Amino acid sequence: MAIARLHGGPLDGQLLPLEDPELDRLIVPYSETQVVYERKGAPENTGDGDGPTEAEFWFIEAEDDIDPYSDTARERR
């Protein structure tokens, strides 16, 4: 098993399972749009006894504008 560590964008700091540690790009659903993250650097922890393989992915773009304040309690009423 491998883990994608996300940097930047709306999913900053999230960890996602990664089926293929050689994957170069992630397209992840977010709210009503999708966000794109791209891998930078080589996978880490690739040995047998050093934990799950980790790959760092950095935010590239969102398909639509993202409004971080659109999910306030007032708008959900």
Side-chain angles (χ1 to χ4, degrees):
M1 181 173 139
I3 296 172
R5 185 176 300 274
L6 305 181
H7 297 280
L11 300 176
D12 185 45
Q14 299 290 318
L15 300 175
L16 298 178
L18 188 59
E19 292 182 24
D20 180 5
E22 299 302 317
L23 193 66
D24 290 331
R25 188 166 245 206
L26 288 175
I27 300 173
V28 183
Y30 180 77
S31 189
E32 294 180 9
T33 189
Q34 294 179 334
V35 291
V36 180
Y37 285 82
E38 190 171 88
R39 186 177 74 182
K40 295 197 179 179
E44 299 176 1
N45 302 334
T46 57
D48 291 332
D50 57 359
T53 300
E54 289 186 20
E56 296 203 7
F57 285 80
W58 292 84
F59 178 73
I60 300 297
E61 65 181 342
E63 286 190 357
D64 295 317
D65 290 335
I66 297 174
D67 181 3
Y69 304 106
S70 65
D71 194 26
T72 61
R74 180 179 42 190
E75 291 179 351
R76 289 185 291 216
R77 290 184 192 164

